[in-house]
Amino acid sequence: MPSPKKSPAVEMSGVFLILLGALLSISLLTYDPTDSSFSTINTSPIVQNLIGKVGAFSADIFFQIMGISAYFLPVGLIFLGFSFLKQKETDEKQN
């Protein structure tokens, strides 16, 4: 009897979470307090964050809400994404 295959949505969710975690980590690591964001107004059009204005705003939000522990969020997203991908592999092996 053939084993039932999981939906590709699980695999796509895992890849999405890994990419989101990677983008968020780059955004947090390249955070510059002088970039324009919700808590800072800067007249310079140059943004130091590698992700751009979206990265500057998201890094500012996460640092305002979570503080230094914001660095744990992308790590958790990446681990969760890999667990989604790993779960698919182990479920196929068990069947």
Side-chain angles (χ1 to χ4, degrees), residues 82-95:
F82 277 120
S83 73
F84 276 19
L85 296 177
K86 182 78 173 162
Q87 176 186 4
K88 183 179 184 296
E89 292 174 7
T90 55
D91 286 347
E92 287 178 358
K93 288 179 185 177
Q94 289 175 356
N95 291 330

Side-chain angles (χ1 to χ4, degrees), residues 19-91:
L19 290 175
L20 182 65
L23 285 174
L24 185 58
S25 64
I26 292 169
S27 171
L28 293 173
L29 290 172
T30 60
Y31 172 72
D32 187 4
T34 61
D35 284 342
S36 291
S37 60
F38 290 114
S39 62
T40 307
I41 296 175
N42 190 354
T43 58
S44 173
I46 300 171
V47 178
Q48 301 298 320
N49 197 302
L50 290 178
I51 306 299
K53 286 187 177 189
V54 173
F57 275 87
S58 62
D60 182 58
I61 289 171
F62 284 113
F63 280 134
Q64 292 293 326
I65 294 172
M66 300 175 68
I68 197 78
S69 63
Y71 288 115
F72 291 117
L73 184 61
V75 173
L77 288 173
I78 291 170
F79 277 129
L80 186 63
F82 277 120
S83 73
F84 276 19
L85 296 177
K86 182 78 173 162
Q87 176 186 4
K88 183 179 184 296
E89 292 174 7
T90 55
D91 286 347

